[in-house]
Amino acid sequence: MRANGGTADTAGVRTGAAGLFSVMAAFPTGVAIVTTTAEGGRPVGLTTTALCSVSARPPLLLVSVGERSRTLRWLRERRRFLVHVMGGAGAERLCSRFASTDADKFAGASWRHTGSGLPLLEDGVIAWGECATEQEVEAGDHMVIVGRYLRGERLSGPGPLVYHARTYRDTPWG
């Protein structure tokens, strides 16, 4: 029985991956782009909604990366990465590109190398953080990478981009 006195309708209950995807589509999340470098300093990256803080002492966050991601190899080898919290003009376009299988996701994007050589996106970013990998945990068909937060910046500007019901949505909060 539900708290409001009704009963749960189980006719639409789904199990397995399809059920999980359906339930998680109802959960709005922020959107981030994770970047690092491949051989020769070539920039690589991916879009994720699987990002969260883990600990304040030490300052840790985690990102979950699919085992088929071409960026995963370089995240594991480089052991340093940037997390870009996305929002505002250009964010949806960049997130779609970084979620794709395009060979050069940085084509046409405005970015620069940080002092540590990591690719920092300049458009559609409302905050960024640099991390060093502390731990990797295999979890099903994903690798959870726990990173120690080293430094970063919250930028002024628009509200965050969120992902809800398999759609990017701008928010009014800034």
Side-chain angles (χ1 to χ4, degrees), residues 130-144:
E130 182 174 343
C131 299
T133 300
E134 288 275 314
Q135 185 177 8
E136 297 174 353
V137 180
E138 289 185 39
D141 61 359
H142 278 64
M143 180 67 66
V144 176

Side-chain angles (χ1 to χ4, degrees), residues 35-143:
T35 62
T36 193
T37 54
E39 70 266 340
R42 180 176 56 88
V44 294
L46 59 91
T47 298
T48 187
T49 58
L51 168 74
C52 70
S53 62
V54 174
S55 169
R57 283 186 228 102
L60 301 174
L61 60 78
L62 70 77
V63 61
S64 181
V65 180
E67 66 184 12
R68 296 186 318 187
S69 168
R70 291 185 309 221
T71 303
L72 178 58
R73 170 186 174 192
W74 304 112
L75 288 168
R76 296 184 80 188
E77 284 188 23
R78 176 78 160 122
R79 302 191 59 78
R80 286 182 88 93
F81 57 95
L82 292 179
V83 172
H84 304 78
V85 179
M86 304 303 291
E92 184 176 335
R93 178 185 53 78
L94 273 175
C95 290
S96 293
R97 181 182 311 148
F98 277 80
S100 75
T101 58
D102 288 353
D104 184 3
K105 297 177 183 180
F106 285 80
S110 179
W111 65 278
R112 62 182 168 83
H113 281 105
T114 63
S116 57
L118 294 170
L120 176 63
L121 295 167
E122 295 181 321
D123 294 329
V125 177
I126 61 172
W128 62 271
E130 182 174 343
C131 299
T133 300
E134 288 275 314
Q135 185 177 8
E136 297 174 353
V137 180
E138 289 185 39
D141 61 359
H142 278 64
M143 180 67 66

